[in-house]
Amino acid sequence: MNLDEKFQYMSTGRPYDDLDQLLVDARAKSTELTTKINNESNEAKKEKLVRQLFGEAGKAPFVNPNFRCEFGRNIFVGDDFYANYDCVILDGAKVTIGNKVLFGPKVGLYTSNHLFDAKEREIGGCIAKPISIGNRTWLAANVTVLPGVIIGNDVIIGAGSVVTHDIPDKVIAAGNPCKVIRPITDDDKTGFVGHDFI
């Protein structure tokens, strides 16, 4: 089984061997590439490296140091993706992120989970489920998103939240476990129009 076939198998949600040498080598390459990204100060060169790492990226993807991911090739981002400092994405399964999505510092997306049985876990047993985040969504600082979660469009996830289940469009949600607090409405508008606001 080659690496592409391995990822296809992992995407089915069946248990896989996390210690498989193909995956170990792929993680090492990802670590090498993210180190280059984190050390690159030229924005054009940095964007080129991000595009090399991700499975797909829209216009102007940006990640602050120290960005880390497990493989990179299972991450698909839309236009104007922004990840603040110390973002971690474990992409054993596909991670899909929409347009104009903002991540605060120390956001973590984790598609993979170790198996519950101790003996199976000890020999490398894992399972992965995809994560999806809609357009114009903001994950505040220290948000954790667990395997299989779908977060909708125009959502705010409050700082420190642990997102264990799906979150619908256009709401503010927070907590551990993360729960919807209220919808986002026209009353939330401030009249801000951009750079000339002041």
Side-chain angles (χ1 to χ4, degrees):
M1 187 180 290
N2 64 33
L3 188 58
D4 287 333
E5 291 169 337
K6 178 68 71 174
F7 282 131
Q8 286 179 344
Y9 176 85
M10 290 161 63
S11 72
T12 66
R14 290 180 287 179
Y16 64 90
D17 181 4
D18 195 47
L19 303 177
D20 183 287
Q21 194 59 48
L22 284 172
L23 300 182
V24 171
D25 292 345
R27 278 190 209 96
K29 288 179 182 177
S30 171
T31 299
E32 182 179 335
L33 190 48
T34 54
T35 298
K36 289 180 183 177
I37 290 167
N38 291 328
N39 290 328
E40 182 57 68
S41 58
N42 180 285
E43 286 193 26
K45 290 179 181 178
K46 186 172 190 172
E47 181 175 327
K48 186 176 180 181
L49 291 170
V50 169
R51 291 184 182 283
Q52 186 180 334
L53 176 67
F54 287 177
E56 187 175 295
K59 72 177 180 72
F62 183 83
V63 296
N64 265 315
N66 285 303
F67 177 82
R68 293 294 181 191
C69 62
E70 188 171 13
F71 303 110
R73 64 192 296 168
N74 290 328
I75 300 172
F76 298 81
V77 303
D79 295 341
D80 302 309
F81 170 65
Y82 179 88
N84 214 322
Y85 298 102
D86 298 322
C87 176
V88 175
I89 301 177
L90 299 188
D91 55 313
K94 188 175 183 180
V95 174
T96 306
I97 298 169
N99 298 318
K100 300 185 182 299
V101 171
L102 302 173
F103 286 179
K106 298 186 178 180
V107 163
L109 275 56
Y110 307 110
T111 67
S112 303
N113 212 353
H114 295 284
L115 297 181
F116 290 175
D117 180 81
K119 289 183 180 178
E120 292 180 343
R121 188 168 61 247
E122 184 180 349
I123 60 172
C126 280
I127 195 165
K129 296 178 182 177
I131 290 172
S132 178
I133 297 172
N135 299 319
R136 298 171 307 277
T137 286
W138 168 30
L139 276 55
N142 290 294
V143 167
T144 297
V145 182
L146 297 184
V149 166
I150 298 171
I151 298 174
N153 299 309
D154 305 312
V155 172
I156 297 170
I157 305 293
S161 297
V162 179
V163 189
T164 61
H165 61 273
D166 295 353
I167 303 294
D169 293 347
K170 208 166 184 183
V171 296
I172 298 171
N176 182 6
C178 187
K179 296 179 182 176
V180 173
I181 296 172
R182 67 172 179 85
I184 298 171
T185 69
D186 285 344
D187 290 338
D188 292 305
K189 292 180 180 177
T190 64
F192 180 73
V193 293
H195 298 293
D196 298 326
F197 183 67
I198 297 175

